Amino acid sequence: MPPIDLGLGLGTSGLDDPEECTESVVTALEAGYRHVDTAQMYDNEAAVGEGIAAADVDRDEVVVATKIHPRNLAPEDVRETARESLDRLGLDEVDLLYVHWPTKAYDAEATLPVFDELRAEGLTDHVAVSNFTPDLLRGARAILDSPIAAHQVECHPRFQQPELRELAAEFDHHLVGYSPLARGELLDDPTLGTIADRNDASPAVVALAWALARGVVPIPKSTGAHVRENLAALDLELSDADLEVIDGLAGGERTIDPVDAAWNGD
């Protein structure tokens, strides 16, 4: 089993309004979420931390993840900005600390040992990576002393990441799927709509239930009533036939594809 338990998480990318972000975190945790994901790049760590502090949930029950900005991946910058992230979050440690993108200041041989160092010092319980190619993932495993606990990438019914899902199973880490609704594009998908009607669910819940059934940890960004609605994915058991139909949606494009992303340099 991977070294940390992860369930359906709350993604916070794009939650730019501090009050709305804090409210979403409080709503999510009090509704039953136990995994909250943020990043230096999102510029909302303070608001996320306020939500964690305000929620009527014990901190020890919550998996808190943040990510080091690619501009901050030089060794001393990792050390300094990881502590700044903790200060903004109001925490002594996070459960998951990610390399956000292996770009800009990222140098595997220089960057990754600092993540081991921060884990040894107790600033994070686990080390994770995000947006790595298979080759970069293998390379990181060879350098790190710490096990990689999670690899976070875009993953949804139209972009299913089969190779990275297989590697997650082989290497015994979680594949965490961001943009699990393809930035809302899946909400009007007719195939998901038909399956949703058949299961008395929404297309969003169906897409999230597919991810969970396929061993992916989805982290949808949500606000308001959608925060609670998405939790229904935990109780929706799609039939094998429905899962196979959704598998057939593969072949779409990424919705998040920076020019300097590692896969564009292969």
Side-chain angles (χ1 to χ4, degrees):
M1 293 291 291
I4 185 173
D5 290 330
L6 293 180
L8 175 73
L10 178 72
T12 63
S13 175
L15 291 182
D16 302 320
D17 179 85
E19 185 175 335
E20 180 182 50
C21 181
T22 296
E23 181 180 342
S24 294
V25 172
V26 172
T27 299
L29 292 177
E30 295 187 347
Y33 289 74
R34 291 297 181 266
H35 174 195
V36 179
D37 182 272
T38 183
Q40 294 175 353
M41 187 181 287
Y42 305 163
D43 198 25
N44 62 10
E45 288 172 315
V48 168
E50 289 178 13
I52 293 167
D56 188 20
V57 175
D58 189 357
R59 160 68 183 102
D60 292 342
E61 297 180 15
V62 183
V63 173
V64 180
T66 195
K67 311 179 197 74
I68 303 294
H69 196 292
R71 289 197 302 265
N72 296 332
L73 290 172
E76 195 50 47
D77 292 335
V78 175
R79 296 184 184 98
E80 180 178 349
T81 65
R83 289 172 169 81
E84 291 171 352
S85 286
L86 291 176
D87 287 343
R88 286 189 290 269
L89 286 162
L91 301 175
D92 294 326
E93 63 179 3
V94 290
D95 302 275
L96 279 171
L97 186 66
Y98 285 88
V99 175
H100 199 164
W101 293 84
T103 60
K104 297 187 176 16
Y106 179 73
D107 179 312
E109 296 283 353
T111 300
L112 294 173
V114 184
F115 280 74
D116 280 328
E117 174 187 314
L118 295 177
R119 180 169 175 255
E121 292 177 10
L123 276 69
T124 184
D125 284 342
H126 302 282
V127 171
V129 298
S130 185
N131 299 301
F132 277 47
T133 62
D135 284 347
L136 287 175
L137 183 62
R138 292 184 181 94
R141 280 172 47 84
I143 294 169
L144 283 164
D145 292 331
S146 304
I148 291 175
H151 181 201
Q152 186 176 135
V153 294
E154 179 174 350
C155 188
H156 50 75
R158 290 185 185 165
F159 195 76
Q160 299 184 11
Q161 298 280 22
E163 183 176 7
L164 292 179
R165 283 162 50 199
E166 289 176 5
L167 287 178
E170 177 183 344
F171 296 154
D172 201 23
H173 63 245
H174 294 284
L175 193 75
V176 177
Y178 67 73
S179 196
L181 306 178
R183 289 189 161 181
E185 293 178 11
L186 294 179
L187 302 182
D188 297 321
D189 185 277
T191 299
L192 291 180
T194 298
I195 294 173
D197 290 343
R198 185 159 57 239
N199 287 275
D200 192 25
S202 69
V205 167
V206 168
L208 297 175
W210 170 86
L212 291 166
R214 293 306 189 218
V216 177
V217 178
I219 52 168
K221 180 192 77 173
S222 50
T223 58
H226 295 300
V227 175
R228 292 185 178 87
E229 176 193 331
N230 288 341
L231 272 180
L234 295 172
D235 298 319
L236 176 58
E237 289 192 26
L238 295 170
S239 68
D240 289 343
D242 283 344
L243 289 170
E244 289 175 8
V245 170
I246 298 171
D247 288 344
L249 297 176
E253 300 294 324
R254 299 177 188 272
T255 64
I256 299 174
D257 191 14
V259 172
D260 65 348
W263 51 79
N264 288 324
D266 289 350

